[in-house]
Amino acid sequence: MALATNSPNQTSYDVIIIGGAIMGASAAWFLSDNKDFNGRVLVVERDPSYENCSTTHTNSCMRQQFSTALNVQISQFAADFVKNIRSYMGGDERVPELSIRSFGYMYLADTEAFADVLRESQQVQLAQGAATQLMTPAQIAAAYPFYNVEDIVLGSINLVDEGLFDAGAVFDWWRRQSRERGVEYVQNEVVAINRNAAGNRVESVTLKSGDVVACGQVVNASGPRAAATACMAGIDVPVEPRKRYSWIFKADTPLDRDLPLTIDPSGVHVRENGGGTYQCGGHADVDPAVDYDDYVMDFSIWENHVWPVLATRIPQFETIKVQSEWAGHYAYNTFDHNAILGPHSELTNFLFLNGFSGHGLQQSPAMGRGIAELVAHGEYRSLDLSPFAYDRIPAKRPIVEKAVI
């Protein structure tokens, strides 16, 4: 069934944001909140139900356990934003007070090489003020006796500002308040990006409805569809949709304390969900790019991989019942699994907000703020995000982030 479309109210905007999920909504809100920007903003979203977007298929968690200082700082701002969202939104009493359920992420290393990575990363995290602790198998068993740690060499956990938060509330209020400030959202789809005669700037976009809309700058916030959007501008970007599977299950014998978001050495991850239920995720060993509309479940992954891993790591999970399951997409940056942010090196009014590889929700406050600063000031003012610039890709200068789930 074809999606409905509606036309924009204007024929020209200062900024057109392609994609209205968490990244597009963040950029739109931070533009509306920037005192030095008074331009018109249009957000074009193909499916405002957000039924299949990465935002609605998320774990809704944040962590500071990254191996690069900048990624730690990005998540620290996210934690501050969530905990002080009403203040950030001008004291609006309609905005809920939010918190982070800080049960932490528990990385489990089963080799000395992986343990060394955790040790090195902890030093990076501590230098940024994070509260990461390393735990021996005995310490893990004492604090979390439900784990089987026979094969574990070391664990790493941070119980401060690391865990579950209400990402849906943040998303909803970014859209609601930015609309009230004049940001326009339309249900439509960009089908062409049109350059000027010199070929060095985007001058307009063509929508599925037939509207041709002029623009000052374009922001690619199309999540797993980032490459298709960039292609319309004649640009290659190494982002592709990778399928990620999630399950919510109920345990016959629930754990007697919160379960950290546990990253098993196999790659399977599982966390507390509340009420004796838990959410886990994983993917197939063969992990190709998939079609943009492919959300078909592979039920064999649960039976043959995920459940056996869970039951081995946490024996109380031998008897569990799946309550719901779904497949979603990571916007997977195949170059270095990190964000691609800011202007293209030649088409300078085409801005990337792409490639978050599963980190998008927790990185959205800093990334949206960064895009808004680039648009309003031509530079980053709060946190220098320039290492994520597009030019690192043709220069073959990857950012090595070791903590990718």
Side-chain angles (χ1 to χ4, degrees), residues 24-41:
S26 175
W29 183 83
F30 276 98
L31 280 168
S32 77
D33 196 57
N34 192 302
K35 302 298 187 289
D36 296 316
F37 177 80
N38 60 1
R40 290 197 298 242
V41 178

Side-chain angles (χ1 to χ4, degrees), residues 5-339:
T5 61
N6 57 291
S7 296
N9 293 327
Q10 310 292 331
T11 58
S12 178
Y13 293 82
D14 295 278
V15 181
I16 294 177
I17 300 173
I18 304 174
I22 196 75
M23 286 297 171
S26 175
W29 183 83
F30 276 98
L31 280 168
S32 77
D33 196 57
N34 192 302
K35 302 298 187 289
D36 296 316
F37 177 80
N38 60 1
R40 290 197 298 242
V41 178
L42 174 69
V43 180
V44 181
E45 170 53 48
R46 61 188 299 276
D47 181 12
S49 75
Y50 302 102
E51 179 182 3
N52 288 321
C53 75
S54 299
T55 299
T56 56
H57 289 155
T58 178
N59 240 312
S60 201
C61 287
M62 70 171 66
R63 60 183 162 105
Q64 296 176 36
Q65 290 185 78
F66 288 91
S67 67
T68 55
L70 184 52
N71 277 332
V72 178
Q73 293 164 1
I74 287 166
S75 285
Q76 287 173 329
F77 175 62
D80 186 69
F81 188 91
V82 168
K83 293 189 299 181
N84 298 286
I85 185 170
R86 183 180 291 178
S87 175
Y88 276 103
M89 293 193 154
D92 188 336
E93 292 187 357
R94 300 172 301 166
V95 177
E97 297 281 8
L98 300 181
S99 61
I100 300 168
R101 187 174 176 182
S102 294
F103 44 60
Y105 278 53
M106 174 69 83
Y107 283 85
L108 297 173
D110 60 350
T111 65
E112 276 298 336
F114 189 8
D116 284 342
V117 171
L118 295 183
R119 293 182 185 106
E120 292 167 7
S121 296
Q122 187 212 25
Q123 293 306 305
V124 173
Q125 295 151 19
L126 294 180
Q128 300 305 316
T132 309
Q133 309 167 56
L134 298 179
M135 302 180 73
T136 66
Q139 290 170 329
I140 296 170
Y144 303 100
F146 47 75
Y147 286 127
N148 170 11
V149 293
E150 289 180 0
D151 60 333
I152 296 304
V153 175
L154 191 71
S156 177
I157 193 168
N158 172 17
L159 294 172
V160 179
D161 291 342
E162 192 165 285
L164 183 65
F165 72 105
D166 190 347
V170 176
F171 181 41
D172 288 344
W173 276 98
W174 273 341
R175 287 179 294 152
R176 180 171 179 175
Q177 199 176 71
S178 63
R179 278 194 179 105
E180 292 173 353
R181 293 170 171 178
V183 172
E184 185 180 345
Y185 279 72
V186 293
Q187 179 177 355
N188 217 310
E189 186 174 353
V190 173
V191 295
I193 296 174
N194 313 305
R195 297 193 184 207
N196 61 3
N200 60 358
R201 288 184 65 80
V202 175
E203 65 177 12
S204 66
V205 303
T206 302
L207 303 182
K208 189 175 183 179
S209 58
D211 298 277
V212 178
V213 189
C215 57
Q217 300 191 70
V218 172
V219 177
N220 180 357
S222 5
R225 295 174 181 263
T229 297
C231 185
M232 288 187 279
I235 295 169
D236 291 325
V237 63
V239 177
E240 58 189 34
R242 296 285 186 91
K243 197 180 286 188
R244 294 295 180 265
Y245 300 92
S246 296
W247 298 265
I248 292 178
F249 63 88
K250 189 172 184 65
D252 276 8
T253 307
L255 306 179
D256 64 356
R257 65 203 74 192
D258 277 352
L259 174 64
L261 196 156
T262 304
I263 300 95
D264 187 80
S266 66
V268 171
H269 52 89
V270 59
R271 67 159 170 85
E272 180 68 36
N273 197 54
T277 67
Y278 304 88
Q279 181 172 332
C280 70
H283 60 83
D285 290 336
V286 179
D287 186 29
V290 297
D291 185 84
Y292 292 125
D293 296 312
D294 178 4
Y295 297 98
V296 176
M297 284 293 292
D298 181 345
F299 299 102
S300 69
I301 293 176
W302 172 261
E303 291 290 339
N304 299 331
H305 178 52
V306 174
W307 185 18
V309 168
L310 292 176
T312 300
R313 184 62 57 206
I314 303 173
Q316 281 177 244
F317 288 168
E318 288 184 0
T319 309
I320 56 180
K321 182 177 181 180
V322 173
Q323 294 186 322
S324 61
E325 54 194 348
W326 63 90
H329 290 170
Y330 267 9
Y332 194 83
N333 174 1
T334 60
F335 179 67
D336 63 6
H337 320 304
N338 269 298

